Amino acid sequence: MFVRPGPLMKHPLRSVALFLVFCCFVVGAAAPSLAAVASRIQVEGNQRVDDETVRAYLTIQPGASYGAAQVDESIDALYATGLFEDVTITSQGSTVLVRVVENPIISRVSFEGNRRVSDQILAATVQSRERVVFSRATVQADVQRILEIYRRRGSYLATVEPQTIDRGQNRVDLVFDITEGSNARVGRITFIGNRSFSESRLRDQIKTRESGLLGFLRSTDSYDPTRLLQDQELLRRFYFNHGFADFRIVSATADYDRERNEFFITFSLDEGEKYEFGEVRVDTTLADLDPKELRGKVSTRPGRRYSASKVEESLEDLTLAANREGYPFAEVVPSGERNYETNTIDVVYRIDQGTQAYIERIDIVGNTTTRDYVIRREFDISEGDAYNRILIDRAERRLTALGFFETVRITTARGSAPDRVVVTVYVEEKATGKISFGIGYSSQDGVVGDVTVEERNFLGRGQYVRATVGGGAKTRNLEFSFTEPYLFGRRLAGGFDVYHRAADATDSVAFDSEETGGGLRLGVPITEETSVQLFYNIFNRNVDVIDESLCRIGSNRVSLAVCDSEGSRLTSLIGTSLIYNTLDNQLFPREGLYANLTGEVAGLGGDAFFVRGTVKGRYYQEILPAIGMVGMLSFDGGAMQSLNDDLKIQDQFFLGGSKLRGFESGGVGPRDRVTGDALGGRYYFVATAEATFPIPFLPPEIGLSGAAFTDAGSLWGVDPDIVTRNGGANTILSDGFDMRWTGGVGILWNSPLGPIRADFAVPFVENDADRTQVFRISGGTNF
């Protein structure tokens, strides 16, 4: 083991030699001549390095005079090669004697004590290699490289001690002894200057998380300076997309408390004013382009909130429109003019002929798993096409959105000619597979769980594969899904699903049921927010009443409509969905709209014949951004019609539970007058208004928030044939359009085990036949 020497002790033999040379020259200072003449140069101590190589680094030459300066320069030059552990230069008469001690050869490089960072990562980081000359300077630099890796992983208490083991024959083993220490956590994230958004909202936008009570379950609560830079860019994007065009980050500091091993991060913000789009205009110098027609391509609308992402979308759409009109080199440049009196920004998109350049080739670097074609297909341009920076930036955003890579960076360089461009895509891959389990609870089914294996980049082909096995005391579930996002080489998402579900009879359900089926689907994007999905599903449902005697007339235990649905029934249906989605976050949205319009037709073979349509919509908007209150309005409705006289109750809609809080699952709508069995209905709707908000005085890292809500809805219209098979209209209760209205409060916990929600709801308007449920808890996740 060695310790880094001080400047005077680094080379003790060298110091003695310099002292002797200095004394010789001091003695000779009284002589008329201040220099000696070297007749020859003799090299000693070298084993691997030949004499001529040593002489080549000397500034002393045979036949030439030399002095102390030349001796010192020669010694420095030999040390600089990294080949020698010690060097001395002395004179014996007119002969200059150079004695060297060669650095040993590294026989093996190893690492000890490293648990969080693999040997492979460390070996690729250090410059010391096997069969390379040992160098103290290189080893000390390697120590700093290793420490930097640990700092980026949050281990600021890590230490590295290099050691050498002599193996004889001037060979050594190099061992880096690492003490990792505990990770430095992020104790607190503070925002200063945020007037328009709450701290909790801003924390949601960045990747770094506070450690909190349950921080051991995640890795983003460790301090990473690279992640802090990414967080600053995420904050800028967030503000720029919410109207704050003058936003800037005054400072972003990370203060380290070594005693607590924690960082305290502070973002100082200057929000500026909030802007809307003012006048929006398209100008062009290209003769065949109509500005009025192009005006319809832009996503920026006067009077709407300013958004940098909408400007980027407009640039892309205008560029593609010009390309389709025969201008492959068209260049779209936006310019904005602020009106400080009205807080608006006038935007002008100017389309001119850009510099003519072609893509010579597209190089991809860093993809070890992902196939090249998975990356190339995200480009709207290919080798040989006209170069366009807007389309390159679009490809970079698409690649980032795939979720396959930690980082994506696209650079350009001049090609073999002035009008040729080489595009290089640098990617750093990340893990895309996941083995997870889910835990959930509902007041009806109790505790349920599942185990899921998921791969988002199957075999590096960009395909999505998911398999799930789950169930509970009364339920069993098997699912498998496969999705190809680029079917037939086009931006079409195709896939299939297969599943098996089973549920046993309970106190409120007198029959067992099993359903086995699958489906094919095809997703077609229309715009960035709108898509169409076509699907075909086929499934077989088997209903088995647990006791046949319960179906006898007069038993009063199971309704005749339930008994009529007993047996096996094959359903084959085709359908289509129109989906519009502008939510800012799919799991915890704060603004945006989601709408889904679906139509289905059953009867392509099988036993069921009906048409069914549903419409769903949810709108989110921040009500009080300063405290993080979010409002939500939703609507869910459907209607269906039998195409023959054999509709079963399981084909119809049911309502209650989480869809209409305050009532049991299936607790609303038509039911058998005698047995109380829910019979379903052909029509339903539910409308909800809800506000969620942080709970005051609770630390945000706990993840608790509150909700206040009101639901209204109804289910009605049992199929006439079901009514007849049940014994007539006088055997049915609550088959009309009767409005139900409930209200209540809820507690939401964004726990490490996933979102868990408890709702307390009280019906304000109900039917005598309805079954109420004041308290309901539900939740579950994958992790």
Side-chain angles (χ1 to χ4, degrees):
M1 180 173 68
F2 63 81
V3 181
R4 182 182 179 91
L8 294 179
M9 296 301 296
K10 184 174 182 180
H11 303 291
L13 295 179
R14 175 189 173 187
S15 301
V16 173
L18 288 176
F19 177 74
L20 293 175
V21 172
F22 174 76
C23 291
C24 293
F25 281 97
V26 169
V27 172
S33 173
L34 296 179
V37 176
S39 62
R40 69 188 187 93
I41 298 175
Q42 181 177 338
V43 180
E44 295 181 356
N46 52 318
Q47 299 176 12
R48 298 184 308 272
V49 184
D50 57 55
D51 293 355
E52 290 304 320
T53 301
V54 175
R55 294 189 183 102
Y57 287 99
L58 302 178
T59 59
I60 304 172
Q61 300 298 324
S65 60
Y66 69 96
Q70 285 76 21
V71 171
D72 197 41
E73 291 172 0
S74 299
I75 291 175
D76 287 341
L78 289 172
Y79 275 119
T81 65
L83 299 173
F84 306 106
E85 182 179 353
D86 194 57
V87 179
T88 61
I89 299 178
T90 60
S91 62
Q92 292 182 350
S94 61
T95 299
V96 175
L97 181 60
V98 181
R99 290 189 177 92
V100 296
V101 178
E102 293 181 345
N103 275 324
I105 295 294
I106 299 176
S107 178
R108 186 170 68 94
V109 179
S110 62
F111 306 91
E112 294 182 358
N114 53 309
R115 298 185 306 276
R116 301 184 195 130
V117 184
S118 67
D119 287 357
Q120 291 80 3
I121 293 177
L122 294 176
T125 301
V126 300
Q127 298 298 312
S128 298
R129 299 280 190 268
E130 296 177 2
R131 296 183 296 278
V132 174
V133 176
F134 175 86
S135 169
R136 280 184 169 82
T138 303
V139 170
Q140 291 302 323
D142 287 340
V143 168
Q144 296 305 314
R145 293 185 182 97
I146 295 173
L147 290 175
E148 182 62 24
I149 288 180
Y150 276 96
R151 291 189 189 105
R152 291 188 178 278
R153 294 171 182 253
S155 298
Y156 277 76
L157 298 179
T159 60
V160 180
E161 185 70 27
Q163 301 176 356
T164 57
I165 302 174
D166 189 359
R167 293 303 183 186
Q169 299 180 343
N170 205 25
R171 303 178 71 88
V172 295
D173 288 349
L174 175 60
V175 180
F176 292 96
D177 189 6
I178 301 171
T179 302
E180 294 182 325
S182 59
N183 278 354
R185 300 295 181 181
V186 176
R188 183 72 178 174
I189 301 175
T190 304
F191 297 90
I192 300 175
N194 53 311
R195 296 175 289 102
S196 303
F197 301 100
S198 65
E199 286 199 351
S200 62
R201 178 71 188 277
L202 296 181
R203 288 192 191 98
D204 289 343
Q205 307 308 313
I206 61 179
K207 294 183 178 180
T208 303
R209 293 288 181 261
E210 295 178 352
S211 56
L213 299 176
L214 299 172
F216 65 92
L217 293 173
R218 53 177 175 259
S219 61
T220 53
D221 65 337
S222 61
Y223 175 70
D224 185 341
T226 302
R227 190 188 300 133
L228 184 61
L229 293 175
Q230 296 173 352
D231 290 341
Q232 295 179 57
E233 183 59 29
L234 290 172
L235 286 173
R236 292 187 189 96
R237 295 288 300 176
F238 173 74
Y239 270 95
F240 290 162
N241 290 335
H242 285 78
F244 295 89
D246 297 330
F247 170 80
R248 66 189 183 96
I249 298 177
V250 179
S251 65
T253 60
D255 298 319
Y256 181 54
D257 186 333
R258 192 170 185 85
E259 291 184 0
R260 300 173 59 177
N261 195 25
E262 286 186 344
F263 276 91
F264 296 88
I265 298 176
T266 303
F267 294 96
S268 297
L269 313 178
D270 181 5
E271 291 185 336
E273 298 296 329
K274 188 174 182 179
Y275 293 90
E276 295 179 348
F277 285 111
E279 180 185 2
V280 179
R281 195 172 74 250
V282 178
D283 292 340
T284 180
T285 58
L286 305 180
D288 296 335
L289 298 182
D290 183 2
K292 292 183 179 179
E293 183 178 342
L294 293 174
R295 176 67 179 78
K297 303 289 184 182
V298 301
S299 303
T300 51
R301 303 285 189 236
R304 292 187 180 179
R305 182 185 67 195
Y306 175 82
S307 171
S309 63
K310 292 297 181 182
V311 175
E312 293 171 354
E313 291 176 13
S314 300
L315 292 178
E316 294 170 1
D317 293 339
L318 289 172
T319 300
L320 292 174
N323 290 351
R324 286 191 291 266
E325 294 297 325
Y327 292 96
F329 301 103
E331 183 178 38
V332 184
V333 178
S335 61
E337 183 176 346
R338 290 170 173 76
N339 188 327
Y340 296 102
E341 295 180 358
T342 60
N343 281 352
T344 59
I345 298 178
D346 298 334
V347 181
V348 178
Y349 299 96
R350 183 169 182 84
I351 307 176
D352 297 314
Q353 185 75 329
T355 303
Q356 295 190 8
Y358 297 89
I359 297 177
E360 182 172 314
R361 68 178 188 273
I362 299 176
D363 296 333
I364 301 173
V365 179
N367 56 318
T368 57
T369 300
T370 307
R371 310 291 180 91
D372 277 8
Y373 70 82
V374 174
I375 297 174
R376 293 180 185 275
R377 68 191 183 188
E378 298 301 326
F379 286 80
D380 291 321
I381 51 180
S382 58
E383 290 157 340
D385 289 346
Y387 171 79
N388 192 296
R389 186 68 222 183
I390 297 297
L391 300 184
I392 295 294
D393 292 340
R394 185 185 206 185
E396 186 170 345
R397 285 193 295 274
R398 285 177 174 173
L399 288 171
T400 302
L402 289 177
F404 301 164
F405 311 108
E406 288 284 356
T407 58
V408 177
R409 183 169 57 93
I410 301 180
T411 64
T412 58
R414 177 174 171 173
S416 59
D419 63 344
R420 294 293 185 269
V421 177
V422 175
V423 177
T424 304
V425 184
Y426 296 93
V427 297
E428 179 185 350
E429 293 184 318
K430 66 180 180 181
T432 55
K434 181 171 64 174
I435 299 178
S436 58
F437 67 91
I439 297 176
Y441 177 83
S442 70
S443 303
Q444 179 183 6
D445 301 323
V447 177
V448 295
D450 63 59
V451 177
T452 299
V453 178
E454 179 181 329
E455 173 56 60
R456 293 180 287 113
N457 188 14
F458 184 61
L459 298 178
R461 303 174 185 270
Q463 299 162 336
Y464 175 80
V465 177
R466 184 175 186 269
T468 300
V469 178
K474 296 288 186 178
T475 60
R476 294 165 299 284
N477 180 40
L478 299 171
E479 296 180 5
F480 179 81
S481 297
F482 174 85
T483 302
E484 167 56 65
Y486 271 80
L487 195 63
F488 310 125
R490 298 181 178 274
R491 200 174 291 274
L492 304 173
F496 67 87
D497 309 280
V498 293
Y499 65 90
H500 174 78
R501 304 185 187 113
D504 297 336
T506 64
D507 293 338
S508 59
V509 179
F511 57 87
D512 299 331
S513 65
E514 287 190 4
E515 185 175 313
T516 302
L520 302 173
R521 46 190 161 74
L522 177 67
V524 182
I526 299 176
T527 66
E528 293 291 332
E529 298 88 9
T530 309
S531 63
V532 173
Q533 187 174 81
L534 308 174
F535 58 88
Y536 170 75
N537 293 332
I538 184 169
F539 57 89
N540 185 76
R541 181 188 296 125
N542 186 68
V543 176
D544 183 18
V545 177
I546 57 176
D547 187 349
E548 293 291 341
S549 64
L550 300 178
C551 289
R552 295 172 185 169
I553 297 177
S555 70
N556 297 334
R557 293 287 305 281
V558 179
S559 70
L560 296 178
V562 172
C563 294
D564 180 66
S565 66
E566 187 177 23
S568 179
R569 180 176 174 85
L570 182 66
T571 301
S572 174
L573 62 84
I574 190 171
T576 182
S577 296
L578 177 63
I579 302 170
Y580 180 78
N581 189 353
T582 62
L583 298 182
D584 62 338
N585 185 298
Q586 302 306 311
L587 189 59
F588 301 107
R590 290 180 177 269
E591 62 180 5
L593 172 66
Y594 174 85
N596 184 314
L597 178 63
T598 298
E600 301 170 303
V601 178
L604 301 179
D607 305 314
F609 296 86
F610 59 82
V611 293
R612 182 167 59 195
T614 58
V615 57
K616 300 177 182 179
R618 303 192 307 273
Y619 176 72
Y620 297 85
Q621 183 62 54
E622 283 196 306
I623 303 174
L624 297 174
I627 65 172
M629 180 178 289
V630 178
M632 186 270 289
L633 299 174
S634 72
F635 179 85
D636 186 355
M640 67 179 304
Q641 180 63 47
S642 175
L643 298 179
N644 63 3
D645 58 357
D646 194 29
L647 197 69
K648 305 297 184 183
I649 63 172
Q650 289 85 0
D651 298 326
Q652 300 188 118
F653 301 113
F654 287 81
L655 188 60
S658 59
K659 242 179 187 179
L660 185 58
R661 289 161 290 191
F663 297 96
E664 294 181 0
S665 294
V668 171
R671 62 181 63 250
D672 187 281
R673 181 184 296 274
V674 178
T675 67
D677 291 336
L679 303 179
R682 292 175 296 157
Y683 314 103
Y684 83 96
F685 86 92
V686 180
T688 297
E690 180 175 283
T692 58
F693 47 86
I695 298 178
F697 311 115
L698 287 181
E701 61 267 19
I702 294 179
L704 284 175
S705 59
F709 60 85
T710 181
D711 297 339
S714 183
L715 173 72
W716 71 99
V718 179
D719 184 75
D721 294 310
I722 294 178
V723 174
T724 300
R725 292 194 293 271
N726 200 59
N730 61 339
T731 65
I732 309 293
L733 290 175
S734 186
D735 192 24
F737 176 81
D738 296 326
M739 179 70 72
R740 279 79 164 178
W741 178 31
T742 69
V745 295
I747 298 175
L748 295 80
W749 182 29
N750 183 20
S751 76
L753 303 181
I756 297 176
R757 175 167 184 148
D759 288 318
F760 301 83
V762 177
F764 301 140
V765 178
E766 60 181 298
N767 190 285
D768 292 338
D770 294 337
R771 296 183 178 179
T772 61
Q773 183 183 66
V774 175
F775 175 74
R776 183 177 181 86
I777 184 171
S778 61
T781 189
N782 289 327
F783 55 93

